Every structure is written in structure tokens, then in C-alpha cells.
Amino acid sequence: MLQATMLHLPKFPTLLHLPSLNKENNLLQKMPKIIKSTSSIFSNEQSGKNPLLTTIFYSLDDLVSNFLDSPLPPSIDPRHLLSGNFAPVEELPPTACEVVEGSIPASLNGAYIRNGPNPQFFPRGPYHPFDGDGMLHSVTISGGRATFCSRYVRTYKFKTEAESGRAFFPSPFSSCHGGLATAARFLLTVARGAFGHFEPSENGFGTANTSLACFNGGLYALCESDLPYQIQLAEDGDIITLGRCDFGGGRDMTERMTAHPHADPDTGEVFAFKCNVFAPFLTFFTIDSEGRKGSDLVISSMKRMACVHDFGLTKRFIVFQDVQIEMDPTEVVRGRTPLVCHRDKVPRIGVLPREAADDGGLVWIETPGLNLLHITNAWEGDCGGRIVIVAPNFLAADRGFLDTSLMHSQFEMIELDINEKKVVSRYVLSRKNMEFGVINQAYAGKKNRYMYAAVIAEMPKAGGVVKTDLSKAAAEGGDCTVARRDFGEGCYGGEPYFVAREGAEEEDDGYLVTYVHKESSEESWFWVMDAKSPTLDIVARVRLPGRVPYGYHGLFVSEKHLKENSCD
């Protein structure tokens, strides 16, 4: 899911001169003096090795949480958000699973891995569902037998907080709640950096909790606010973090990457981007087949930081959107989240030639009422200069990021004319609240017919999965659903993933896999469904030895590629 970043924040001396804050409390005026007076005491010692300084930071954390935080609404209250199957789980080493229904097909020899937030320490202050340390849950399959494993991604944030015994890294989603509390947390972060308590400028502070990607022979855990972390699956099914990867582009905190890179299987080239709070607000780049990052291509016509989360990649073009949701750092000074929705802004789609050296050939097309976070697929139409996009339109852009339970999206198919710079057609594929659309990856960037998506009960909980036939799209907005599988009363899953059957010749000949959880018994399963069946029949259900909290994106890696330690 979206991980907008607060990197590149300027110095904020104005925080100490806001009359409204000083009238409420003079803590902000005193804190710089406290930091200055204590710096000489600890200047020769690392705070991580200094119990007294660590205790001081802990005490200041407690002061902010206990006395400066205003009452937390349910949308950012960890006691509310981290309950039920959103509650964190402990790591689980490789453990054998029981197949309780059907049998696992031979085509599924490999591993299904899914990412999601799972806080290492229960938050003391505000929390957002996009926060939380990345935890990977994998089912490794061989010869019809399954092994389950849950492991944290060993990010710099995870390891540093583990050593300190407490969470303290800032979050762009939840740290900005209440004027005094926001300013105090900002100053505490600055103080920790000054005393060497942590060094995000060199090591980043991302959670790696959003998605996974395979390219250039590597498997990566990603989020927007940091560089990817490379991981590896051991022969016994264990998950190993190999480290943070910069692809030769630099490891400082200004370097990061989208959680949704796209690879060209023909060239091995990977396309990606990064967003910035300050200009340049959006930058695209490539990673070649040797794993080397190319030069940045700045989108200079982006005048503010829109929350670009995903993009489409066709044979000749990069397709992305300038949405209404933006990052405004001045909101932090007011004690509010920097994520804002500009209702008067007209969203637009940008189409950029893949081989462009700059953004001179970028074409913008206005798309009123269209806010795309994920793009399921995009391809070039039969007529010259046409682009077709399949994606969920985020309908609650002004509320959904503040309260994810209000997220609502419906899938549309949009056709654009690049030469005329206009929308040719827009078809609603279904009125259901759906997200996490997936396709047969052999059709990525090409015209496809079938899409599978999660039917959302409450983001990111899905009550079922549907199969959509894009060829049935019509101007009157009829429902294009051709198959559906409900998970059952009190049972919820997440994003499905399509795995093609070995030797398959038809687009929908394969399986859908996902995790499903029964809330009443707190049991979690791995489901395998027949993607070609009119009712998405259950092929196998595997009872898991550990609970899998609701999360975000996953993928399947074949046994062949696992053994070769590649994902090509």
C-alpha cells in the first residue's frame, strides 16, 4: 500500500516561534536548551551504548504520549486498529502445514509470499494502518507438501528499534497528530539523530511492508519511503534478509523507490520512480539487466508532490497519474497529516515514451473524477496513439487515507487518445468495492481479457474474489463479473495472485492463491482456487500453523527459480 515519505524536510525554526503553540505550552522553547545542555555530557559516547541517554529519550517519548497527545480517534488509535486479525504476530520458523481439503497441484511447486505491516512493538502513540514493520508470510510448496514461515524484513528501522527495545522511528501517516505532540516528536527525532541514536541519512527508515517484486534474479521487499531490501528463501522455507539495495544509485536517505516497479521480460530492464516532498516531485529511472540504476528523468511539469503509487508500462510508454491526493509538508506545522486531498484539482494522466531522455515528450490528459492508486494493466490499443488502462478508481480520495475503513474503489477501463490528448471512453467494470486487481503476468503490458480482484469488506479485508471479463465492458456500465468465490461467513482474505498452469495455452488456465482467515476461530488458511472455473472452485485448502494478519501485496515464485536463486 502507499508509503509517502517525509524525506527532504527542511529545517523548521518556525516551529519554535508559533504563538499558538507557545501559549499552550512552553515545552518547545525549553526542549532545544535541554538538547544543547545534554549534548556535551554525551558527546563522546554513542547513545545506543549509553543507558542514561536512552532513558532520557524514553522519558521524553512517554511525556509526549501521556501528556501532549490529544485523545486519539479510532482511525489512528492502535488499541482499535491493532485488534482481531490486525493484531501483530510473532515470527514463526519453517513449520509443516496440513492440507485439509483437496490437493496442491504440481504447477504450484514454489512459494507464495505476502507482505504486510506487523509492528515489532505496540505503538504508544498514534498509529496508521500503513505503519508497522514489514513481515513476510510464505508457503513453500514441493511435491504437494507445504511449509509455512513468518519473518520480519530486517530493515535498519527494525534492527535499530530491536536494539533499543522500543519503537521510535517517525511515520508520515501517524506522527503528525496534534500541534504540540507533532512538534515535540519532530524535535525528538532531530535530537536522536544529533546524538547518533539512529542515522537515517545513511541507512533509511523505511518499513519494507508494502509489496514484493522479482527482477534481475533478485527477490525484494519494498515500500515507498526507502530502497528495496533483498530477501532469499532458504531450502527449508526460511526467509532471509540479505540487505538494502541501491543498485549503484547511492544509499543516502534521498534514494528510495516505488513499491511497484515494472520489468520488461524481453529486455530485463526495470522501470521505477520515486516521489519527493520538494522539487523535483516525481522522478523516473531504470535499472538495467545487470542491476545498475540509470540516470534520473525528472517530471518537471509536476508542481506539487502527488501521491503516485503505481504506474502502467506498455511496449512503448510509461503511464502514470497526477492524482488529487498530495503531500503538503506545511500541514505538519498545523499539527495535521501532510496527506491532503485537493477537491478542486482535476486529475490527469501522463503518457511518457519509455525511451525518453527528458520529459519534453510527456503528454498530459485530464481525467475528471479519476484517482488511480494501482494500475492493474495498460496496453496500446489497436488504433494508433491509443492507450487502454484497467485500474480501480479511488472514490473516497478525501477520506480514505485518513481512515482506511472508508476506502472505496470501483474498477474502470479507460481508453486515451495521445494525439488528441483526450479520454476516448471510460467503462465501469463493476460497482462493487474492489481492489488488488491481478492478471496473468504473461499479459502484462499487453491486451488481456481476464482480471481477478478482491471484493473489499473493509480495507484491506476482502470477503471474496471475482473474475472479470474485460471484453464485456459496455458504455452503460454493466457488471463484467463472470465468476465469484465468497470466503464464507466471518472469513476474510486479501489480494489474490494468479499462477498459470504448466503448459497452459489459455489466458485464464491457472490458479488463484491467497490467505484466508476465520475470525471466530482465529485460524488462517492458504487457499488454491481454479481460475478457469465458473465458480472459482476450491482446489486445495491448507491449514496454517500460525495466524496471518491482513496485509497487502504478494507474489508466487516457482520452485525452479527458487533453486536457481532467480526470479527471471
Side-chain angles (χ1 to χ4, degrees), residues 203-438:
N203 303 291
F205 62 85
T207 54
N209 70 1
T210 307
S211 67
L212 295 124
C214 285
F215 54 86
N216 293 339
L219 177 60
Y220 302 91
L222 309 98
C223 72
E224 249 84 2
S225 58
D226 207 340
L227 291 166
Y229 277 80
Q230 187 171 5
I231 63 172
Q232 182 179 9
L233 263 66
E235 290 185 8
D236 64 353
D238 209 347
I239 306 169
I240 303 168
T241 301
L242 299 180
R244 188 168 177 251
C245 298
D246 62 3
F247 308 103
R251 296 177 64 86
D252 63 41
M253 68 187 297
T254 65
E255 291 302 320
R256 53 202 170 278
M257 187 169 125
T258 173
H260 293 292
H262 292 274
D264 185 326
D266 296 328
T267 66
E269 192 175 23
V270 178
F271 292 79
F273 68 87
K274 61 181 178 180
C275 292
N276 301 309
V277 176
F278 300 99
F281 298 102
L282 181 64
T283 303
F284 280 89
F285 57 90
T286 59
I287 300 171
D288 66 21
S289 57
E290 301 298 321
R292 295 169 300 201
K293 179 181 178 295
S295 58
D296 290 343
L297 192 161
V298 173
I299 306 300
S300 58
S301 51
M302 293 277 282
K303 301 305 181 183
R304 293 181 297 203
M305 180 188 163
C307 293
V308 183
H309 179 61
D310 194 4
F311 68 104
L313 184 70
T314 74
K315 184 178 181 180
R316 294 185 298 153
F317 297 101
I318 294 170
V319 185
F320 61 99
Q321 198 184 34
D322 181 10
V323 296
Q324 291 177 313
I325 308 157
E326 296 181 348
M327 179 76 83
D328 184 354
T330 63
E331 291 294 303
V332 176
V333 180
R334 302 181 178 93
R336 299 196 291 257
T337 174
L339 286 172
V340 296
C341 178
H342 294 284
R343 297 182 182 88
D344 58 342
K345 175 181 176 180
V346 178
R348 54 183 183 166
I349 288 178
V351 182
L352 179 71
R354 278 175 42 164
E355 305 303 322
D358 55 45
D359 66 343
L362 173 63
V363 173
W364 285 112
I365 302 172
E366 291 191 345
T367 53
L370 188 69
N371 283 290
L372 306 181
L373 297 183
H374 294 115
I375 294 181
T376 303
N377 199 20
W379 65 85
E380 295 165 37
D382 297 330
C383 300
R386 297 284 179 90
I387 297 286
V388 179
I389 301 170
V390 177
N393 182 14
F394 188 30
L395 301 179
D398 57 341
R399 305 184 305 276
F401 272 107
L402 300 180
D403 186 347
T404 55
S405 66
L406 300 177
M407 282 187 167
H408 187 96
S409 56
Q410 63 184 24
F411 272 87
E412 296 189 25
M413 186 162 68
I414 308 102
E415 186 172 9
L416 310 172
D417 190 310
I418 305 173
N419 299 322
E420 298 292 330
K421 298 182 181 180
K422 68 178 183 180
V423 177
V424 177
S425 62
R426 281 179 63 176
Y427 301 141
V428 175
L429 303 177
S430 176
R431 300 289 179 181
K432 301 181 184 72
N433 182 14
M434 299 196 305
E435 243 288 7
F436 302 127
V438 297

Side-chain angles (χ1 to χ4, degrees), residues 44-306:
N44 296 324
E45 297 188 64
Q46 292 295 321
S47 65
K49 300 178 182 179
N50 193 308
L52 178 57
L53 185 54
T54 299
T55 300
I56 291 175
F57 282 134
Y58 283 0
S59 298
L60 291 174
D61 282 335
D62 292 340
L63 175 66
V64 174
S65 298
N66 295 333
F67 298 102
L68 298 186
D69 268 330
S70 56
L72 301 178
S75 60
I76 56 173
D77 187 344
R79 295 168 298 179
H80 172 74
L81 295 173
L82 296 175
S83 60
N85 196 40
F86 288 101
V89 296
E90 299 291 333
E91 290 189 318
L92 184 68
T95 307
C97 305
E98 177 190 5
V99 180
V100 296
E101 180 179 345
S103 60
I104 302 176
S107 292
L108 289 182
N109 280 346
Y112 171 67
I113 319 163
R114 204 220 61 203
N115 203 346
N118 188 76
Q120 179 183 190
F121 298 103
F122 198 86
R124 292 181 53 79
Y127 179 81
H128 190 279
F130 296 163
D131 295 340
D133 301 281
M135 177 173 272
L136 306 180
H137 306 273
S138 71
V139 171
T140 302
I141 303 165
S142 181
R145 297 180 178 179
T147 301
F148 178 72
C149 180
S150 295
R151 292 292 191 194
Y152 281 106
V153 182
R154 260 59 181 178
T155 63
Y156 173 69
K157 174 186 182 298
F158 174 85
K159 292 189 292 186
T160 303
E161 291 182 340
E163 292 173 359
S164 298
R166 176 181 294 208
F168 62 83
F169 275 56
S171 162
F173 300 105
S174 60
S175 295
C176 307
H177 176 72
L180 283 172
T182 296
R185 285 192 173 96
F186 177 84
L187 289 173
L188 270 174
T189 299
V190 172
R192 281 189 163 104
F195 288 119
H197 199 231
F198 76 140
E199 297 178 353
S201 61
E202 296 181 4
N203 303 291
F205 62 85
T207 54
N209 70 1
T210 307
S211 67
L212 295 124
C214 285
F215 54 86
N216 293 339
L219 177 60
Y220 302 91
L222 309 98
C223 72
E224 249 84 2
S225 58
D226 207 340
L227 291 166
Y229 277 80
Q230 187 171 5
I231 63 172
Q232 182 179 9
L233 263 66
E235 290 185 8
D236 64 353
D238 209 347
I239 306 169
I240 303 168
T241 301
L242 299 180
R244 188 168 177 251
C245 298
D246 62 3
F247 308 103
R251 296 177 64 86
D252 63 41
M253 68 187 297
T254 65
E255 291 302 320
R256 53 202 170 278
M257 187 169 125
T258 173
H260 293 292
H262 292 274
D264 185 326
D266 296 328
T267 66
E269 192 175 23
V270 178
F271 292 79
F273 68 87
K274 61 181 178 180
C275 292
N276 301 309
V277 176
F278 300 99
F281 298 102
L282 181 64
T283 303
F284 280 89
F285 57 90
T286 59
I287 300 171
D288 66 21
S289 57
E290 301 298 321
R292 295 169 300 201
K293 179 181 178 295
S295 58
D296 290 343
L297 192 161
V298 173
I299 306 300
S300 58
S301 51
M302 293 277 282
K303 301 305 181 183
R304 293 181 297 203
M305 180 188 163

